[in-house]
Amino acid sequence: MSEGHPDKVCDQISDAVLDAFIEQDVKLGIADDSHVNTRLGCETLCTTNKIVIAGEGRGQFFRKYGDRAVVDREAIAQIARDVVKDIGYDQEGFSYHGADVEVLLHGQSPDIAMGVDAKKRRNGEEEGAGDQGMMFGFACTESEVYEKNSFMPAPIYFAHKILKVLSEKRRSGQLFDLQPDAKSQVTVQYVNGKPVGCTKVVVSTQHNEKNRNNKKYTPGMVKDMIADAVESALPKGWMPKRPSDFLVNPTGNFVVGGPDGDCGLTGRKIIVDTYGGYAPHGGGAFSGKDPTKVDRSAAYAARYLAKNVVAAGVAERCTIQVAYAIGVSDPMSVLVDTHGTGKVEEKKLEKLLPELFRLTPTNIRRTLKLNRPIYRRTAAYGHFGRAPEKDGGFSWEKTDLAAEIKSALR
């Protein structure tokens, strides 16, 4: 899904609101890598010229009004408009300036806050998990020969890459007749468990009705327009050889798109956000949730551990599952599955990994430096398989624990 897909628009708005809350904490000096004041669960819905933002939280955009916490609706609405403008929506049915924005955020439940806020526990001052549930992390070596340090399944990695290339060319003006909404899908051929090429590539991309010569676009014209860009996103030789195996806008037309064409909702693309169906998913979405919420932070931690296990050469594939109870710091369970590719017993890894990296919400948040405004960038093109960034973005993609894992298993 591109950043202009309706669900991804909503994810980005929710995460942009989260970033704004954290930025305010940082400016006021009440947030650092050890502590953050913000609590947020922000959901967004987008449809024809309408944006609805709802949820609960606490932070600098809330003000006390009697016994209630009231949010600064104008500030939140402007954040949403800025996201929509940046994505590129200024259409009759969905525009950054024309859309009506309704903000329904309210204060966090004291019952939830009581279980999450840090308190003296068995291992010192620790936060409780923000919810119960299972989270999964996954990594594999299959795409490493093509994309170093991605440790991702090839199908989802290259589906994301196709759309990133199209977006870059749309924004630069090279493909000026494209519009923000787009989807891609690749069918990958495997030989002896290794990806070797694509048998099918599907791209649906929104476009202007007519080109600059006032000629109405056909699917064939759109296909010709984007073919080189799509091929450039794939490893050499991966593009399907038969033209019929490269499908572009199979419905025949894609002019009406974005939230005007299809209602969007935060958290509805959890498989696209993770491993493309290649690995299990606990069901919890990421966007709009602050890092005390283990739906997000523990999924990042599980990916971090799985990636470091594979980077250490301990396994070619690794799935890690962690489970939590709301208000409890330590996970209920930690399970490791190396899918028959492991060089050590999985039980040994299940014991070692929590010793090297404590899976409490507080330690995850502090070690991975999640108390930073780094979240909107995660809300399109996947949360995993990205390069770690200097300001702490995608810190869970680092492989700095691999040497320690390897040494501990000698």
Side-chain angles (χ1 to χ4, degrees):
M1 305 295 165
S2 72
E3 75 262 34
H5 185 279
D7 295 327
K8 290 282 106 194
V9 172
C10 293
D11 285 344
Q12 289 170 91
I13 291 173
S14 292
D15 271 340
V17 173
L18 174 60
D19 281 348
F21 269 77
I22 296 175
E23 281 175 0
Q24 289 296 313
D25 284 352
V26 172
K27 286 178 182 176
L28 292 171
I30 56 175
D32 53 33
D33 288 336
S34 295
H35 175 75
V36 67
N37 177 62
T38 287
R39 299 285 186 270
L40 193 67
C42 180
E43 313 288 347
T44 304
L45 177 147
C46 289
T47 187
T48 302
N49 273 330
K50 180 75 174 182
I51 301 170
V52 180
I53 302 171
E56 67 292 323
R58 78 175 187 212
Q60 299 309 308
F61 286 94
F62 283 99
R63 297 290 181 268
K64 288 292 281 184
Y65 186 79
D67 294 331
R68 300 178 61 196
V70 178
V71 75
D72 185 341
R73 290 181 173 84
E74 289 186 11
I76 301 300
Q78 189 58 50
I79 291 166
R81 293 188 191 282
D82 290 345
V83 170
V84 174
K85 182 178 181 180
D86 180 65
I87 292 170
Y89 278 118
D90 189 11
Q91 303 167 1
E92 184 178 347
F94 192 71
S95 167
Y96 70 92
H97 57 81
D100 175 49
V101 184
E102 189 172 1
V103 179
L104 303 173
L105 288 170
H106 60 81
Q108 185 184 44
S109 161
D111 294 342
I112 294 175
M114 178 175 59
V116 175
D117 286 344
K119 59 187 72 171
K120 293 295 182 182
R121 301 175 190 266
R122 180 171 56 86
N123 293 308
E125 189 171 328
E126 292 276 358
E127 294 158 349
D131 206 348
Q132 69 181 51
M134 296 182 297
M135 296 82 210
F136 292 88
F138 178 78
C140 63
T141 59
E142 69 172 49
S143 61
E144 284 307 285
V145 67
Y146 305 106
E147 299 287 337
K148 210 68 180 155
N149 298 316
S150 69
F151 292 99
M152 287 289 284
I156 189 68
Y157 184 85
F158 290 109
H160 282 315
K161 191 173 180 183
I162 286 170
L163 293 181
K164 287 176 76 174
V165 169
L166 290 178
S167 175
E168 288 163 5
K169 292 184 180 296
R170 170 180 67 86
R171 288 173 175 274
S172 71
Q174 289 178 267
L175 296 176
F176 49 80
D177 276 338
L178 294 186
Q179 291 293 322
D181 195 357
K183 296 188 284 189
S184 69
Q185 179 176 293
V186 297
T187 304
V188 174
Q189 180 183 9
Y190 287 77
V191 175
N192 297 323
K194 305 295 182 184
V196 297
C198 293
T199 59
K200 304 278 184 184
V201 174
V202 183
V203 178
S204 295
T205 181
Q206 185 187 12
H207 55 85
N208 292 335
E209 185 177 11
K210 297 178 181 180
N211 64 16
R212 291 190 176 181
N213 296 320
N214 206 35
K215 188 172 182 180
K216 192 171 182 178
Y217 270 109
T218 66
M221 292 168 65
V222 177
K223 184 176 182 177
D224 290 343
M225 176 171 54
I226 69 170
D228 289 345
V230 171
E231 186 169 6
S232 73
L234 297 171
K236 189 175 181 180
W238 272 43
M239 194 72 172
K241 301 297 186 289
R242 297 186 305 178
S244 59
D245 292 333
F246 175 36
L247 288 77
V248 176
N249 292 356
T251 64
N253 205 39
F254 194 178
V255 173
V256 178
D260 186 33
D262 193 9
C263 182
L265 195 65
T266 295
R268 203 158 54 180
K269 289 295 178 283
I270 58 176
I271 300 302
V272 169
D273 283 343
T274 54
Y275 309 102
Y278 210 91
H281 197 297
F286 300 156
S287 290
K289 296 178 180 177
D290 75 81
T292 68
K293 293 175 173 57
V294 286
D295 277 349
R296 181 171 220 158
S297 57
Y300 290 173
R303 161 66 176 175
Y304 174 69
L305 291 178
K307 185 173 183 178
N308 276 273
V309 165
V310 175
V314 176
E316 292 184 10
R317 296 175 67 195
C318 181
T319 300
I320 293 178
Q321 175 199 300
V322 290
Y324 291 86
I326 188 168
V328 180
S329 299
D330 291 301
M332 301 292 99
S333 65
V334 179
L335 298 175
V336 177
D337 184 356
T338 54
H339 307 278
T341 69
K343 297 179 181 178
V344 299
E345 291 183 6
E346 291 154 341
K347 292 293 182 187
K348 198 168 184 179
L349 287 170
E350 290 170 3
K351 182 177 184 297
L352 173 66
L353 294 177
E355 292 173 355
L356 296 180
F357 183 95
R358 288 191 63 221
L359 287 162
T360 64
T362 302
N363 187 64
I364 292 170
R365 187 172 52 71
R366 291 176 177 175
T367 304
L368 296 182
K369 302 186 186 306
L370 301 181
N371 301 342
R372 299 182 181 191
I374 56 172
Y375 293 105
R376 186 199 155 185
R377 68 191 76 169
T378 70
Y381 308 114
H383 293 247
F384 307 128
R386 313 276 288 270
E389 296 174 346
K390 289 182 179 179
D391 66 352
F394 301 101
S395 60
W396 49 92
E397 292 296 310
K398 292 181 179 180
T399 54
D400 54 350
L401 197 64
E404 202 171 342
I405 291 172
K406 191 183 295 186
S407 175
L409 292 172
R410 282 178 184 159

